[in-house]
C-alpha cells in the first residue's frame, strides 16, 4: 500500500510539473495558424505541415523606439509575432533603453526570463513572494552579463549608464504574458475600486483618483 501512495504522489508531482509549462510538441513543428472566428484553444491551431515555409520560422527585429515616457521599448518575439514558435515553449524580447530608460516593474505569469546585456549598463532586480518575505535581489549588469528572473515574480530593468543600452530576454514560454504592475492596478478595465486600492496601499482616496487619471504608457 505504501508503494501505491508513493506512486500516486510521484504522478501528482509529475503532473504539476507538466501542467506548469508549455506542453511538449508531438511533431517536428506546429506553425501557428489564425484561429477561426469564435474558436479559442490553449495555444494556436497548426498550419498544414506541407504548406510550412522557412519564412514561418523567421523574423527581423528592428531596434525599438525609446521616444516615450519610459525611454525604453520592449519588442516581443512570441508566437503572435513568429508563428514557428508554436508548441516550442520559448520566446524572446529585445529591450532598448535610452539613458535612464526603464522597463517598469512587471511579471510574466507563464515564463521564466533570462536576460543578457548586449550594450550598456543596467540595474536589474526581482522581488520574491510573500512567503519568502518579499526580498529584493538586484545586480548591476554590464555588456555580456546574464541575469535570471524566476517565473511569476515582479522584476524590472533600469538603464544606469550614460548611453543607450540593449538587452535580449529569453522566456520559457511561447506566450509568457506580461503584467505591468502600475497598469494593472490603475488602468484595469473596469477600474478597481478606489476604496480597495486606497486601503491596500494605505493612502488617501484622492491619491488613487489622481493615479487612475494618469495616462499610463504601455496600456494597450
Amino acid at each position: 500500500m505504501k508503494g501505491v501512495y508513493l506512486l500516486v504522489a510521484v504522478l501528482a508531482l509529475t503532473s504539476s510539473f507538466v501542467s506548469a509549462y508549455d506542453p511538449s510538441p508531438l511533431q517536428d513543428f506546429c506553425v501557428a495558424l489564425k484561429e477561426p472566428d469564435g474558436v479559442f484553444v490553449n495555444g494556436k491551431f497548426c498550419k498544414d505541415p506541407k504548406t510550412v515555409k522557412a519564412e514561418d520560422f523567421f523574423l527581423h527585429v528592428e531596434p525599438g523606439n525609446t521616444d516615450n515616457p519610459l525611454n525604453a521599448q520592449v519588442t516581443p518575439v512570441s508566437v503572435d509575432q513568429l508563428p514557428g514558435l508554436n508548441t516550442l515553449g520559448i520566446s524572446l524580447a529585445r529591450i532598448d533603453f535610452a539613458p535612464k530608460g526603464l522597463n517598469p516593474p512587471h511579471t510574466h505569469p507563464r515564463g521564466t526570463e533570462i536576460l543578457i546585456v548586449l550594450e550598456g549598463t543596467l540595474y536589474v532586480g526581482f522581488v520574491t513572494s510573500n512567503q519568502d518575505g518579499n526580498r529584493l535581489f538586484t545586480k548591476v549588469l554590464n555588456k555580456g552579463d546574464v541575469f535570471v528572473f524566476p517565473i511569476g515574480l515582479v522584476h524590472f530593468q533600469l538603464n544606469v549608464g550614460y548611453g543607450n543600452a540593449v538587452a535580449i530576454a529569453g522566456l520559457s514560454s511561447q506566450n509568457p504574458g506580461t503584467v505591468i504592475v502600475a497598469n494593472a492596478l490603475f488602468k484595469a478595465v473596469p477600474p478597481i475600486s478606489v476604496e480597495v486600492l486606497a486601503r491596500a496601499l494605505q493612502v488617501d482616496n484622492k491619491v488613487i483618483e489622481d493615479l487612475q487619471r494618469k495616462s499610463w504608457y504601455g496600456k494597450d
Side-chain angles (χ1 to χ4, degrees):
M1 185 61 72
K2 288 184 178 178
V4 173
Y5 289 147
L6 178 60
L7 178 59
V8 171
V10 170
L11 288 174
L13 184 62
T14 303
S15 175
S16 70
F17 287 151
V18 170
S19 64
Y21 300 97
D22 291 1
S24 298
L26 300 177
Q27 54 207 30
D28 287 347
F29 49 76
C30 174
V31 173
L33 192 64
K34 189 178 186 301
E35 298 93 338
D37 290 342
V39 178
F40 298 91
V41 296
N42 187 25
K44 300 282 186 180
F45 283 99
C46 299
K47 194 175 185 179
D48 183 345
K50 293 183 176 61
T51 67
V52 170
K53 301 178 181 178
E55 285 74 19
D56 292 315
F57 303 95
F58 172 81
L59 181 71
H60 177 73
V61 179
E62 292 284 351
N65 181 7
T66 59
D67 185 15
N68 57 62
L70 295 176
N71 299 123
Q73 182 65 53
V74 177
T75 304
V77 182
S78 68
V79 68
D80 291 330
Q81 292 79 34
L82 186 57
L85 286 174
N86 194 38
T87 77
L88 298 184
I90 59 169
S91 60
L92 64 79
R94 174 183 171 129
I95 314 171
D96 291 272
F97 302 84
K100 307 304 180 185
L102 171 68
N103 190 14
H106 63 281
T107 72
H108 301 296
R110 295 180 292 277
T112 290
E113 176 180 337
I114 182 168
L115 179 137
I116 182 169
V117 178
L118 303 184
E119 177 185 338
T121 302
L122 298 177
Y123 169 69
V124 308
F126 67 85
V127 180
T128 63
S129 62
N130 293 2
Q131 289 87 342
D132 191 62
N134 298 128
R135 291 189 295 159
L136 173 64
F137 290 78
T138 65
K139 192 75 175 174
V140 174
L141 306 182
N142 295 295
K143 182 177 179 179
D145 289 342
V146 174
F147 198 81
V148 174
F149 306 97
I151 185 171
L153 298 186
V154 175
H155 59 283
F156 60 86
Q157 299 104 24
L158 173 68
N159 182 3
V160 293
Y162 294 102
N164 295 334
V166 180
I168 298 292
L171 295 130
S172 63
S173 171
Q174 68 179 41
N175 184 25
T178 300
V179 180
I180 299 175
V181 175
N183 293 2
L185 288 178
F186 304 119
K187 281 298 178 182
V189 179
I192 298 175
S193 161
V194 170
E195 180 183 2
V196 168
L197 291 176
R199 292 184 65 182
L201 300 177
Q202 300 179 43
V203 296
D204 292 334
N205 286 6
K206 187 177 184 306
V207 173
I208 301 300
E209 291 167 353
D210 289 343
L211 288 170
Q212 289 182 329
R213 278 194 294 266
K214 289 178 67 67
S215 177
W216 292 93
Y217 178 73
K219 179 62 180 175
D220 51 25

